[in-house]
């Protein structure tokens, strides 16, 4: 008798759905499943600054595992932040509780762009250690690595912190086109270095977060942003892990987004997945797209909306159930566990 072959993360439903291969049931995970709604996260993080926690391999490992243990999701997402590669390279950024990333010296001139330090791969040993520990602990459950896309990172560097309109960013994009291009190229190289370190250490998929790309017109996105997101994916060479590309409010950009080179496109809640499938075209799987606010509503609404998303997801060549954006901090963790069970039941093939 031969030894039974244990399926590994490369055969998981998440990886298979991202590639458009048949799955046993619709896989599900939640953006920001670590570190938002879990009391065990708050206990562990107490007294440690966010960016400190992100660089402590044992803390990263434990926080990343918490939602997998609690909810039985089909993937873990590395506990980190999109600004971490900048911080590791030496840019003065702090994550302020209740605010988000705050940049000490925002990028306002060509000289500021040229002064940005490069990300040296040998500064990422803590990340490699964390990913290796996680891969060993997770067994067949895939670990998703991630990076911030050049545009979304540029918004923090230029605005100096979180913003709604990203007006300064757009003004810089229009009035300093050469500096804009150098800035986005710099950020694309740093994102690729960050992702390659994660892939080399064993993550099973990567997600590029272009959270704020939806503030752009399709023309500006196509000409001034998309080429740099493509540079990130191109920078991964022939590494063989599925690539996920996500942004909020990207309904009008969906036909372009696939051109950057992902296998799966993340969609927010503003358009139904069957319509999103039509817009991205046949070569892509979809991830999404329950409105995170629905999880704060009554149980009947949750159940109805989960069923709708699972059903509409069947229009795509592959579907990974997720929220349309991150878990809201007030979400009852019990509801998340319930959603996982429901998706698994309704998503059986
Ligand atoms: O599940 C997880 O929480 C995984 C880890 C993770 C991820 C994937 C964190 C931890 N951040 C991110 C990505 C991230 N960070 C994005 C892209 C995803 C998204 O759109 O939600 C963005 C835009 C950020 C930037 C950021 N970092 C913000 C948003 C601010 C804004 O512009 O409105 C905030 C609040 C942070 C801090 C942060 N990152 C992560 C955590 C747990 C926190 C809170 C820090 C704390 O508790 O002190």
């Amino acid at each position: 008798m031969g030894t039974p072959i244990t399926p590994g993360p490369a055969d998981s439903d998440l990886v298979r759905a991202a590639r458009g291969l048949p799955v046993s049931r619709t896989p599900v995970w939640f953006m920001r499943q670590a570190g938002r709604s879990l009391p065990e996260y708050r206990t562990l993080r107490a007294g440690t600054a966010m960016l400190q926690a992100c660089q402590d391999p044992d803390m990263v490992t434990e926080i990343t595992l918490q939602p997998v243990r609690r909810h039985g999701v089909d993937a873990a997402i590395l506990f980190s932040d999109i600004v971490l590669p900048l911080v590791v390279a030496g840019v003065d950024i702090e994550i302020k509780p209740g605010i988000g990333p705050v940049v000490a010296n925002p990028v306002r001139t060509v000289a500021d762009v040229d002064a940005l330090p490069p990300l040296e791969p040998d500064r990422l040993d803590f990340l490699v250690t964390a990913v290796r520990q996680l891969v060993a602990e997770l067994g067949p459950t895939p670990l998703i690595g991630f990076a911030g896309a050049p545009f979304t990172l540029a918004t923090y560097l230029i605005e100096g912190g979180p913003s709604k309109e990203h007006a300064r960013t757009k003004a810089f994009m229009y009035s300093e086109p050469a500096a804009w291009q150098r800035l986005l190229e710099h950020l694309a190289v740093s994102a690729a270095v960050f992702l390659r370190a994660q892939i080399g250490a064993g993550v099973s998929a990567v997600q590029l977060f272009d959270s704020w790309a939806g503030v752009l017109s399709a023309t500006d996105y196509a000409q001034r942003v998309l080429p740099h997101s493509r540079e990130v994916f191109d920078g991964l060479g022939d590494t063989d892990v599925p690539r996920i590309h996500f942004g909020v409010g990207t309904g009008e950009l969906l036909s372009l987004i696939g051109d950057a080179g992902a296998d799966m496109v993340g969609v927010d809640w503003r358009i139904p997945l069957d319509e999103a499938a039509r817009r991205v075209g046949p070569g892509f799987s979809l991830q999404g797209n329950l409105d995170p606010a629905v999880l704060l509503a009554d149980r009947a609404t949750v159940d109805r909306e989960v069923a709708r998303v699972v059903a509409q997801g069947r229009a795509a060549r592959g579907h990974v159930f997720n929220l349309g954006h991150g878990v809201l901090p007030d979400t009852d963790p019990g509801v998340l566990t319930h959603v996982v069970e429901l998706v698994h039941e309704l998503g059986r093939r």
Side-chain angles (χ1 to χ4, degrees), residues 64-151:
T64 302
L65 291 172
Q66 285 176 343
V68 180
R69 285 193 202 112
R70 189 194 259 260
H71 304 307
V73 280
D74 294 283
I77 177 141
L78 184 72
F79 181 76
S80 185
D81 193 80
I82 59 168
V83 298
L84 197 68
L86 296 167
V87 172
V88 170
V91 182
D92 189 347
I93 301 179
E94 207 188 318
I95 292 187
K96 297 214 164 132
I99 301 174
V102 176
V103 182
N105 303 300
V107 170
R108 295 284 152 80
T109 64
V110 182
D112 293 337
V113 174
D114 290 337
L116 287 172
L119 174 62
E120 305 294 350
D122 60 10
R123 290 203 174 184
L124 295 174
D125 289 352
F126 72 90
L127 189 71
V128 170
T129 303
V131 170
R132 287 195 181 133
Q133 289 183 171
L134 277 162
V135 169
E137 290 278 336
L138 283 162
T141 303
L143 174 65
I144 301 172
F146 74 91
F151 175 76

Side-chain angles (χ1 to χ4, degrees), residues 37-86:
S37 69
L38 296 188
E40 57 267 37
Y41 165 74
R42 295 201 190 104
T43 307
L44 190 64
R45 261 288 314 285
T48 310
M50 175 64 192
L51 290 169
Q52 237 37 62
C54 290
Q55 296 178 72
D56 174 336
D58 292 338
M59 206 176 262
V60 169
T61 301
E62 176 56 24
I63 295 173
T64 302
L65 291 172
Q66 285 176 343
V68 180
R69 285 193 202 112
R70 189 194 259 260
H71 304 307
V73 280
D74 294 283
I77 177 141
L78 184 72
F79 181 76
S80 185
D81 193 80
I82 59 168
V83 298
L84 197 68
L86 296 167

Side-chain angles (χ1 to χ4, degrees), residues 29-36 41 45 48-51 54 63-64 67 77-83 95-101 146-148 152-153 155-156 161-163 166 207 209-212 246 248 325-327:
W29 69 280
F30 304 108
M31 288 185 281
R32 313 294 300 273
Q33 66 190 14
R36 269 241 170 135
Y41 165 74
R45 261 288 314 285
T48 310
M50 175 64 192
L51 290 169
C54 290
I63 295 173
T64 302
I77 177 141
L78 184 72
F79 181 76
S80 185
D81 193 80
I82 59 168
V83 298
I95 292 187
K96 297 214 164 132
I99 301 174
F146 74 91
T152 289
L153 281 175
T155 68
Y156 290 100
S163 82
H166 307 298
Q207 175 155 331
F209 280 96
D210 208 352
S211 300
W212 314 134
F246 167 78
V248 181
H325 199 183
V327 173

